[in-house]
Amino acid sequence: MQDLRRTRALDAPADFAGRHIGPRDGDVREMLAELGYATLDELSAAVVPEEIRLGRELELAPPRAEHELLAVLRAIAERNAIFRSYVGAGYYDCVTPAVIQRNVLENPGWYTQYTPYQAEIAQGRLEALLNFQTMVAELTALPLANASLLDEATAAAEAMAMAWAATGRKRAGFAVAADCHPQTLAVLRTRAEPLGIRLQVLEAEALDPGGGEWFGVLVQYPGTDGRIRDFAPLAAAAHAAGALLVVATDLLALCVLRPPGEFGADIALGSTQRFGVPLGFGGPHAAFLATRADHARQMPGRIVGVAIDDRGRAAYRLALQTREQHIRRDKATSNICTSQVLLAVMAAMYAVYHGPDGLRRIAERVQALTATLAAGLRRLGYGVGDGPFFDTLRVRTPGAAGALLERARASRVNLRDYGDGDSVGISLDERATPKEVERLVEIFSGGDGLPFELQPEAGDTDAGVGSAFRRTSPYLAHEVFNRYHSEHEMLRYLERLRSRDLSLTHSMIPLGSCTMKLNATTLMLPVSWPEFARLHPFAPPEQAAGYHELFRQLERWLGQITGFEAVSLQPNSGAQGEYSGLLVIRAYHRDRGEAHRDVCLIPTSAHGTNPASAVMAGLRVVLVRCREQGEIDFDDLRARIAEHAGRLAGLMITYPSTYGVFDEGIREVCRAIHAAGGQVYLDGANLNAQVGLCRPADIGADVCHLNLHKTFCIPHGGGGPGMGPIAVARHLAPYLPGHPLVAGAGGSRAIGTVSAAAHGSAGILPISWAYIALMGAAGLKRATQVAILNANYLAHRLGKHYPILYRGRGGLVAHEFILDARPFKDSAGIGVDDIAKRLMDFGIHAPTMSWPVAGTLMIEPTESESREELDRFCDAMIAIREEIRAIEQRRADRDDNPLKRAPHTAEALIDDGWSRPYRREQAAFPRPWVRERKFWPAVGRIDNAYGDRNLVCTCPAPSELAE
């Protein structure tokens, strides 16, 4: 009898690739025929230079059916043991309100949005982020907050650099209290050294800025061991010495504690994770940073502000255009590109849902339970200190810490190990209950029952912090935090905001270099599984066996896809990956006695984060020219190599190039760098054109970062989360980043720690794992080939109407291309802004504007867009070209036309005073198919200049909006 297990006909169909890739087989054949090619292999052979083509299939497991894959992943998840963790150290279990989990975290209308650069079709998300900024500003009592950063530790590093810039870089000393979270200290050490900042870690009591050597001081409030100190005298001393006080803090604690802004802090930072965002084994979580208004220009990251639209109505937008690394490049103080928008929205909505009274009740309950626990432990004879505390106790257990930790684990409880053998930590959280407090006291008593009856402490702050630290100032008085406390109203508010944002649920987002592809539902489901979501990042490794199995497999697959020996999952954004890769190169040179190698060659076409990352890594940027067709100018490259050969650290290069072409001779470039003693860093932003066709290691690169939120399907989340792991050659593997609290993390000569958690935003890694497992080698290769096909199909159709700036061999492009709109400025007075706004009337998001070339549009369709959607985009762009032609031929007014007045809101269309020289139907429904899927912009064209002149970055009062 035939073995049924070996009968292929009985295998479950694995057709995820067919559902992920948009064009059907017939569409592919017809699109290829239009381009003059018979097969995808023939097209990709014409696009990808022969010398770098991968001559074999990637060594990956065969793809599985979606339901089978979920079963496999469920089995991996079940290897994680979810103990009750009271470890703290900046991470706390919490309750995600179901209305927020279902309608934000699990809603593709929120997680498939792009960064809100096109503000008119991003009003819902911008309002949510303004809520976030208002929440942070009011809880910290500092007037200006940004729209989130990556994690608390990197936010502290950003604050350090910000304080240095704000004080003119006249001093190089930065003091840090020893009771900051250990991961924060580790990231600060990593970040300070390449910049030449002298980091000094001292006991909090010993901090004295009077010597005038420090530009800033960082303290933790409350400390990592729970102690609360009065830092007002330190703030006064710092200011007297010309230094800034930076405070790492906890927003839930600030609901009952005196806020940093009231005792003199200049910058406050921390994590909003405990505001309804799952632990996720370390991320993703939204960090915050708030400061005084006079430091606005040094603020890293993005800031949402209030402006007005063309009808004088209030409208939200990104203020100050704070992606400053793209403007200042090698003079930038930050390389921040990705923020944590989706998680910031969750945290803000947690505050909206609970309101100020609800947040205070949660905080007081946590503090009261901690006070009850402290009283019980004291009765047992344990020392818990006599100072004020909020939610954390450091319990003195001379010589018995190890036994207590083991006893707790036997009860499926994790306590914090301070590593001294004489103390353990307990941090309570929102999920804590009186029953849990009783169980903790039982563990410390060594028995199976309570030796006495616990007496609950008072439910106010005097029980633990005393009146000296009690918060007396109000917060979150704005209507938005006091209106949506019933689930029905909250649901409607969330839906109202979501409906004001265009996302991938509406139409394609054809952004060059950003790869806005399908984030399939199957990939997203495991993110909410408690086995992945509720694990503390510093839980013992045996409790995270499932996660570690997933990490090993994902690292192996990414290594196979890139051709590299080793992978670090720690960098939690693309810019973090750039920075980490350059630090690895720098450490490699230093280890070989060549610390003088400090020159980083970067083509002029590079992402703005590239030079910013190089400077942060302690390298000196030297630009290399590009030729007219976009490829690297080899003559200039050779000249720069010769000029800096003795000091050359490496080359940063994006491949295919940022101009959307596969440069010929890339191997020659790598050989030239290696011959001069340098290393090659490949920016992985464009890996979507490589997977299965060529590999960075085979090309000659030594390290690359991988944008998992691009090529590997982690969604952009409206501007975050991102993940930017690095893959390295064997000789660089010893330098991969480590972590102070996770044994075995990183290489034997680790560069240090670059993110707060050892594996970055581990909670979203199942997405990329599932994508690779479902696609298999053949599916990944076909996805790359169709991405290239779609781009060339668009270039073929649009090239008849717009100039295409750069093409490779045979007039082909890679997976993206640049459309030139500069001629229209003279011929019709039309710029890329006008085209972008007009696309909104078609219900389509604009391509990347004015980058890498001013006055152009960079278009990347991705493989998951269907031919129908591609044709809709082409039809819209061709229709816009006809409208431009009408202006050129004076059939339309140069100043009053559909492009100059776009986008058109429903309110503008029904205005009885319509007097524009074009029909309302042309404004609102420029093509018949728009009627079937009309997306109405929430506001008209926004006046950016007004927003810059009148900077408002927190929720304005209703009366202000009316004015």
Side-chain angles (χ1 to χ4, degrees):
M1 182 176 172
Q2 186 178 8
D3 188 347
L4 293 180
R5 291 172 298 179
R6 300 179 65 183
T7 305
R8 297 284 298 174
L10 298 182
D11 287 349
D15 194 31
F16 175 82
R19 287 188 281 272
H20 171 80
I21 296 170
R24 304 296 85 198
D25 290 345
D27 296 323
V28 169
R29 286 192 295 271
E30 291 175 8
M31 293 160 70
L32 284 167
E34 278 201 44
L35 297 173
Y37 295 91
T39 66
L40 286 171
D41 286 339
E42 188 179 324
L43 173 63
S44 55
V47 171
V48 182
E50 182 177 4
E51 70 166 354
I52 65 168
R53 283 183 222 146
L54 186 62
R56 57 178 178 79
E57 192 173 89
L58 294 170
E59 296 176 6
L60 299 172
R64 297 175 182 264
E66 292 176 59
H67 68 281
E68 287 185 342
L69 190 283
L70 286 175
V72 171
L73 192 52
R74 174 67 77 179
I76 291 174
E78 288 173 352
R79 295 189 62 200
N80 293 330
I82 308 302
F83 284 27
R84 188 66 172 95
S85 285
Y86 304 101
V87 177
Y91 297 95
Y92 305 87
D93 207 353
C94 61
V95 177
T96 305
V99 66
I100 295 174
Q101 176 170 322
R102 175 61 61 89
N103 295 287
V104 178
L105 177 63
E106 299 173 351
N107 188 335
W110 282 101
Y111 64 68
T112 68
Q113 303 158 342
Y114 180 60
T115 306
Y117 295 130
Q118 296 296 335
E120 292 85 351
I121 51 175
Q123 287 296 292
R125 185 168 10 127
L126 286 165
E127 180 173 328
L129 291 175
L130 196 73
N131 293 345
F132 177 88
Q133 291 176 183
T134 302
M135 170 189 79
V136 170
E138 295 199 7
L139 287 174
T140 60
L142 287 165
L144 181 65
N146 67 15
S148 78
L149 292 172
L150 298 175
D151 58 45
E152 181 171 346
T154 55
E158 294 291 338
M160 176 179 67
M162 176 184 165
W164 196 30
T167 54
R169 297 194 180 93
K170 296 174 183 176
R171 307 170 189 170
F174 188 70
V176 185
D179 65 345
C180 289
H181 295 317
Q183 67 272 21
T184 298
L185 294 173
V187 170
L188 285 170
R189 289 188 179 99
T190 303
R191 192 75 72 89
E193 190 270 333
L195 294 174
I197 294 173
R198 295 193 305 273
L199 200 70
Q200 198 167 359
V201 179
L202 300 168
E203 294 300 322
E205 297 83 358
L207 293 171
D208 180 8
E213 298 176 358
W214 303 338
F215 64 83
V217 180
L218 170 66
V219 296
Q220 190 97 38
Y221 174 80
T224 193
D225 58 2
R227 286 180 293 178
I228 299 170
R229 292 181 171 87
D230 180 6
F231 290 118
L234 179 60
H239 295 156
L244 301 185
L245 178 65
V246 182
V247 178
T249 190
D250 179 330
L251 291 187
L252 189 64
L254 296 186
C255 292
V256 294
L257 292 182
R258 185 185 181 195
E262 292 182 9
F263 59 72
D266 299 284
I267 303 172
L269 62 98
S271 172
T272 61
Q273 178 266 314
R274 70 190 308 174
F275 274 29
V277 180
L279 284 163
F281 203 48
H285 307 137
F288 66 84
L289 191 149
T291 189
R292 304 194 182 282
D294 50 351
H295 300 314
R297 293 288 173 178
Q298 284 83 33
M299 173 80 84
R302 303 183 182 119
I303 304 173
V304 175
V306 181
I308 57 173
D309 72 357
D310 56 6
R311 295 171 68 85
R313 303 295 178 87
Y316 308 111
R317 59 156 202 144
L318 291 180
L320 305 177
Q321 293 302 299
T322 48
R323 222 175 157 191
E324 58 105 28
Q325 76 279 0
H326 284 303
I327 302 167
R328 304 187 66 204
R329 296 171 72 84
D330 57 318
K331 293 181 175 59
T333 57
S334 168
N335 70 344
I336 286 292
C337 180
T338 305
S339 58
Q340 298 281 28
V341 170
L342 184 68
L343 300 316
V345 170
M346 290 180 66
M349 292 308 168
Y350 180 91
V352 169
Y353 194 42
H354 287 292
D357 293 338
L359 291 178
R360 179 178 287 276
R361 282 196 298 272
I362 293 170
E364 289 181 344
R365 181 173 178 275
V366 168
Q367 199 285 319
L369 287 171
T370 309
T372 301
L373 175 61
L377 293 175
R378 287 190 183 107
R379 289 186 64 181
L380 291 174
Y382 290 99
V384 295
D386 55 4
F389 54 81
F390 170 62
D391 64 359
T392 297
L393 303 172
R394 185 167 186 170
V395 186
R396 301 298 170 182
T397 59
L404 269 169
L405 291 167
E406 288 303 317
R407 191 187 308 157
R409 286 176 196 167
S411 297
R412 297 184 67 83
V413 166
N414 290 327
L415 305 178
R416 181 170 177 182
D417 182 1
Y418 286 102
D420 60 2
D422 293 325
S423 63
V424 298
I426 310 172
S427 293
L428 299 188
D429 54 42
E430 181 186 4
R431 287 184 178 270
T433 65
K435 190 71 176 175
E436 288 186 355
V437 171
E438 291 179 5
R439 183 64 188 129
L440 286 167
V441 174
E442 286 178 4
I443 290 170
F444 277 82
S445 73
D448 293 327
L450 281 176
F452 47 76
E453 184 176 347
L454 278 179
Q455 297 298 318
E457 297 294 324
D460 60 49
T461 57
D462 282 349
V465 303
S467 58
F469 291 97
R470 185 196 304 166
R471 180 167 192 150
T472 58
S473 56
Y475 51 87
L476 306 187
H478 191 275
E479 179 186 17
V480 74
F481 298 104
N482 294 278
R483 180 175 176 183
Y484 304 110
H485 300 161
S486 74
E487 181 170 335
H488 211 165
E489 286 302 310
M490 187 66 187
L491 174 65
R492 287 169 174 160
Y493 179 57
L494 291 172
E495 180 60 20
R496 187 159 68 251
L497 295 190
R498 185 209 57 78
S499 69
R500 296 175 182 173
D501 272 35
L502 188 143
S503 70
L504 283 175
T505 64
H506 298 95
S507 59
M508 73 185 297
I509 302 179
L511 290 150
S513 192
C514 289
T515 317
M516 299 291 293
K517 62 168 73 177
L518 171 70
N519 313 119
T521 306
T522 295
L523 311 181
M524 301 303 297
L525 290 175
V527 171
S528 297
W529 292 353
E531 295 88 350
F532 287 131
R534 290 193 60 194
L535 197 65
H536 194 286
F538 306 143
E542 63 271 15
Q543 295 174 23
Y547 256 125
H548 288 293
E549 180 182 349
L550 185 144
F551 298 155
R552 285 191 296 271
Q553 291 185 12
L554 182 58
E555 288 170 4
R556 186 167 65 250
W557 295 344
L558 294 177
Q560 172 62 206
I561 288 166
T562 60
F564 283 119
E565 179 76 15
V567 173
S568 170
L569 300 171
Q570 189 172 134
N572 55 2
S573 79
Q576 283 283 84
E578 292 173 11
Y579 174 68
S580 304
L582 292 173
L583 284 184
V584 164
I585 289 174
R586 183 173 177 265
Y588 168 74
H589 287 312
R590 291 192 162 207
D591 214 25
R592 299 170 72 229
E594 297 187 321
H596 59 278
R597 291 188 174 273
D598 63 350
V599 169
C600 185
L601 302 181
I602 301 180
T604 55
S605 62
H607 292 90
T609 52
N610 285 182
S613 296
V615 171
M616 288 172 54
L619 301 175
R620 183 160 56 93
V621 173
V622 173
L623 296 179
V624 177
R625 287 197 302 265
C626 290
R627 292 177 178 158
E628 188 175 336
Q629 284 303 310
E631 72 273 18
I632 290 179
D633 184 329
F634 289 154
D635 292 336
D636 191 56
L637 175 65
R638 281 188 282 268
R640 301 287 79 75
I641 292 174
E643 180 184 356
H644 302 285
R647 301 186 67 90
L648 182 63
L651 166 75
M652 289 190 85
I653 186 169
T654 301
Y655 198 76
S657 79
T658 308
Y659 292 139
V661 295
F662 280 91
D663 286 347
E664 300 283 347
I666 182 65
R667 279 189 169 168
E668 180 186 343
V669 170
C670 295
R671 284 193 291 267
I673 296 297
H674 290 147
Q679 297 284 286
V680 177
Y681 178 97
L682 190 139
D683 185 316
N686 291 344
L687 201 71
N688 211 50
Q690 289 194 54
V691 178
L693 299 182
C694 58
R695 305 194 302 179
D698 299 340
I699 289 169
D702 300 285
V703 54
C704 75
H705 86 264
L706 307 158
N707 292 105
L708 299 188
H709 54 291
K710 296 182 182 181
T711 304
F712 298 98
C713 285
I714 290 175
H716 281 64
M723 273 293 279
I726 56 172
V728 300
R730 178 175 297 180
H731 64 283
L732 297 181
Y735 307 100
L736 290 176
H739 197 279
L741 298 179
V742 179
S748 58
R749 298 186 182 100
I751 56 173
T753 306
V754 296
S755 300
H759 300 94
S761 294
I764 52 176
L765 290 177
I767 300 170
S768 296
W769 182 95
Y771 173 68
I772 296 170
L774 287 168
M775 293 290 281
L780 290 172
K781 177 182 176 181
R782 185 174 177 85
T784 305
Q785 291 179 312
V786 174
I788 291 172
L789 170 65
N790 284 356
N792 279 281
Y793 177 72
L794 289 188
H796 174 73
R797 284 201 63 189
L798 294 178
K800 301 168 186 176
H801 305 273
Y802 296 86
I804 305 297
L805 267 191
Y806 306 110
R807 295 180 186 267
R809 290 184 307 148
L812 297 169
V813 299
H815 65 310
E816 62 188 2
F817 61 95
I818 297 176
L819 181 153
D820 193 359
R822 291 173 296 183
F824 307 138
K825 203 68 176 174
D826 291 332
S827 67
I830 295 298
V832 286
D833 278 350
D834 302 311
I835 296 173
K837 305 307 181 192
R838 184 59 171 148
L839 275 171
M840 297 177 190
D841 291 328
F842 291 81
I844 296 174
H845 197 288
T848 301
M849 297 192 323
S850 289
W851 186 81
V853 179
T856 66
L857 295 167
M858 185 161 65
I859 299 167
E860 180 181 350
T862 82
E863 73 276 5
S864 60
E865 295 299 346
S866 66
R867 184 181 181 183
E868 292 80 5
E869 190 68 11
L870 299 177
D871 284 335
R872 270 190 288 269
F873 175 68
C874 287
D875 290 346
M877 291 298 294
I878 293 168
I880 288 172
R881 179 65 185 96
E882 290 304 312
E883 292 180 341
I884 295 172
R885 187 169 288 112
I887 301 169
E888 292 170 332
Q889 297 174 354
R890 300 187 179 180
R891 292 182 285 112
D893 188 276
R894 191 178 177 93
D895 299 314
D896 194 358
N897 56 67
L899 284 102
K900 284 293 185 185
R901 302 295 294 272
H904 297 86
T905 64
E907 185 180 22
L909 267 292
I910 63 173
D911 191 334
D912 290 339
W914 180 274
S915 60
R916 303 180 187 183
Y918 53 92
R919 294 178 299 112
R920 299 178 204 242
E921 185 172 15
Q922 181 186 359
F925 305 109
R927 279 292 178 270
W929 50 263
V930 177
R931 291 181 178 274
E932 301 172 9
R933 47 192 297 176
K934 180 65 180 176
F935 179 88
W936 290 100
V939 296
R941 188 173 297 208
I942 292 174
D943 185 341
N944 289 326
Y946 175 93
D948 283 341
R949 290 193 307 269
N950 304 274
L951 187 61
V952 178
C953 299
T954 55
C955 294
S959 59
E960 293 177 290
L961 290 178
E963 292 170 5

